[in-house]
Amino acid sequence: MTANCADPAFSTSRDRFEQVCSFLGDQEAASLTHGELEQQLSVDLRELVRLLYQDHLDLRAAGEQRRDDVVDAGGSRRARVEASHVRPLQTIFGAVDVTRLAYRRRGQANLYPADAALNLPRELHSHGLRELSAIESSRGSFEDASDAIRRASGVR
């Protein structure tokens, strides 16, 4: 996988970057106080990074190669493969979708080698969001932790 941000795979995030630059150059941004501008950029740039993350995941999915060596814990080979299996992932930047190949066997749970390569948790929330939650929840109430996470990441 050789790509850079000029690659067409990053067109969505590049468009968002251009929108942010355009906003910064227009009259609306010029009329904001520094605090209002800081708040707006915090939201805009978090969304830009979320889109970069999503574009990268989509690029990885497009380049995922079918494997012939996938076996389950019992040693049974998984030869049947389906593309385009999607799972959500809530990150510190917001929600993204992870698309990957599913290695199937009738009556058995699917295997997803790409999940292991990404070290994805089984649950919805990313390791980064879990770490932030653990740090914030150790500081006080659930409500305070939820508020701090929302302020830092935009995630509820």
Side-chain angles (χ1 to χ4, degrees), residues 11-20 44 47-48 51:
S11 63
T12 303
S13 48
R14 193 173 22 268
D15 289 347
R16 182 65 182 150
F17 177 76
E18 291 299 329
Q19 290 171 1
V20 172
D44 289 347
E47 176 61 6
L48 172 60
L51 289 171

Side-chain angles (χ1 to χ4, degrees), residues 20-156:
V20 172
C21 289
S22 179
F23 164 74
L24 289 171
D26 74 15
Q27 195 57 39
E28 180 185 356
S31 67
L32 297 177
T33 66
H34 90 278
E36 292 166 334
L37 185 59
E38 188 174 57
Q39 185 175 23
Q40 184 62 50
L41 281 174
S42 176
V43 171
D44 289 347
L45 295 180
R46 188 179 307 115
E47 176 61 6
L48 172 60
V49 173
R50 188 193 71 77
L51 289 171
L52 282 164
Y53 199 149
Q54 184 65 66
D55 285 348
H56 172 77
L57 291 172
D58 292 346
L59 182 64
R60 284 176 83 136
E64 186 179 5
Q65 299 293 310
R66 181 183 175 135
R67 296 175 44 178
D68 294 324
D69 62 343
V70 177
V71 295
D72 61 24
S76 297
R77 186 170 169 267
R78 298 292 180 96
R80 191 165 147 233
V81 180
E82 286 183 1
S84 302
H85 278 234
V86 179
R87 65 157 287 185
L89 180 65
Q90 188 67 257
T91 75
I92 59 172
F93 310 114
V96 295
D97 289 322
V98 182
T99 304
R100 68 270 202 253
L101 298 176
Y103 292 78
R104 303 177 53 95
R105 184 178 181 107
R106 187 175 304 244
Q108 302 291 319
N110 292 340
L111 297 179
Y112 301 97
D115 288 8
L118 282 164
N119 191 30
L120 293 179
R122 292 184 191 268
E123 297 82 11
L124 172 67
H125 300 96
S126 72
H127 296 298
L129 193 55
R130 289 166 181 234
E131 180 181 17
L132 181 59
S133 297
I135 291 167
E136 293 303 332
S137 62
S138 71
R139 294 181 180 171
S141 72
F142 177 81
E143 186 177 323
D144 290 345
S146 295
D147 289 345
I149 292 165
R150 190 180 71 256
R151 277 191 311 276
S153 69
V155 174
R156 294 180 188 267

